[in-house]
Amino acid sequence: MKKHLIRNLAAMAVIVCFAFALPETETQKINVVIDAGHGGKDFGAKHDDFLEKDIVASIAQKVKELNDDKEVVIHFTRNEDEFQQLTDRVETINSIKPDLVLSLHINMTGKSDKSGMEFYIGQDVAQNQKSKEYAAKLSNVMSDRFEVAPVKEAGFYILKNTEAPGVLFEMGFLSNENDRQYLTSQNGQKEIASRIVNFLKEIE
C-alpha cells in the first residue's frame, strides 16, 4: 500500500513539473530587403566600363551567398539586371513589411580625390529614429576599415516612401581610383558583403 502511494505521488510530481515547464520560445526572424540600386537601362554611376548597377548587384549577390543565419531572411527588389520604377520597388518593399530596407549604391563626383562611404536615412519620416540606429550600427561595422562620413538625412524616394526603417548605403566613389579598384575587385566586394552580413546578425 505504501509503495503504491509513493509511486502515485512520484507520478503526480512529474506531471506537475511538466505543467509548469516554460514553453520553448521561437526565435524572432529578421526580414531585410536588399535594394540593389538601378538596373536595366538605368545604369547609375559610370566610369569607363564599370557600372554602378553591376557592382551593387554583385555585392547583393555576395550578401545572399554569405548569409548563413536562418533567422535573417533576406529579400531582394531585383535578382537580375532589370529596370524597375521606384514606385514598383516601394510597392514590393511595403508588401514584404521588412524590419529594414538597405538600399545599395555607388557614389560619383567630379572631384576624384573624394572617397569613402556615406549613409543616408529618410528625412521627416515616422521611422527616422530606428533608421538612425541601424545606420549608426552599419557605419560602426565599416568604420574600422573604411573612411565613413556622418549619417545624413535625405529625401530619396525609397527612404521617403517605404514604411519600414531604411538606410541608403553609398559604398564608395566610382570617381576615386582607390575606391574604384576596391569596389570592382572580388575581394573588395566580398569584404563589404561580409560586413553587411555581420551587421544584419547584430540587429537580430
Side-chain angles (χ1 to χ4, degrees):
M1 180 71 178
K2 189 179 290 185
K3 288 182 180 181
H4 183 69
L5 178 61
I6 291 172
R7 280 200 301 270
N8 286 342
L9 289 173
M12 290 178 63
V14 171
I15 291 171
V16 170
C17 286
F18 276 113
F20 288 95
L22 292 174
E24 290 186 9
T25 56
E26 184 179 344
T27 306
Q28 181 70 37
K29 292 186 185 304
I30 296 294
N31 282 281
V32 178
V33 171
I34 300 290
D35 173 48
H38 310 284
K41 64 182 181 180
D42 176 14
F43 51 74
K46 180 180 184 297
H47 187 283
D48 295 332
D49 293 330
F50 298 120
L51 305 179
E52 178 182 1
K53 67 171 186 175
D54 296 333
I55 298 169
V56 296
S58 180
I59 292 173
Q61 178 61 33
K62 287 177 173 59
V63 170
K64 181 179 181 180
E65 293 168 356
L66 291 171
N67 178 43
D68 58 359
D69 192 334
K70 294 180 180 179
E71 306 308 324
V72 178
V73 182
I74 302 179
H75 311 264
F76 298 88
T77 53
R78 69 178 177 98
N79 290 294
E80 52 191 49
D81 185 16
E82 59 181 342
F83 173 74
Q84 292 179 330
Q85 297 286 353
L86 289 175
T87 52
D88 294 333
R89 289 176 187 251
V90 166
E91 185 177 343
T92 297
I93 292 167
N94 287 340
S95 69
I96 295 170
K97 302 184 185 302
D99 298 282
L100 168 67
V101 182
L102 183 59
S103 190
L104 303 181
H105 290 267
I106 306 295
N107 244 326
M108 188 79 179
T109 181
K111 299 178 180 180
S112 60
D113 61 333
K114 188 169 178 59
S115 65
M117 296 177 168
E118 294 182 345
F119 307 87
Y120 292 89
I121 61 173
Q123 193 172 37
D124 300 324
V125 292
Q127 61 275 18
N128 180 277
Q129 186 56 42
K130 196 64 180 178
S131 298
K132 187 179 295 184
E133 292 174 14
Y134 285 146
K137 284 185 177 181
L138 180 56
S139 174
N140 187 57
V141 167
M142 299 291 177
S143 63
D144 69 321
R145 175 68 175 81
F146 306 98
E147 179 183 350
V148 299
V151 175
K152 304 172 187 177
E153 293 187 358
F156 295 127
Y157 190 89
I158 291 287
L159 299 178
K160 184 178 178 181
N161 292 280
T162 51
E163 297 165 359
V167 178
L168 189 144
F169 180 18
E170 296 277 6
M171 298 179 286
F173 284 81
L174 202 56
S175 46
N176 179 272
E177 184 177 358
N178 290 334
D179 281 11
R180 182 170 63 253
Q181 288 180 354
Y182 189 80
L183 288 165
T184 56
S185 70
Q186 288 297 311
N187 287 340
Q189 292 179 6
K190 187 173 182 179
E191 182 176 9
I192 292 173
S194 177
R195 286 171 180 257
I196 289 174
V197 169
N198 289 339
F199 155 71
L200 296 178
K201 291 179 179 179
E202 283 189 9
I203 68 172
E204 286 186 64

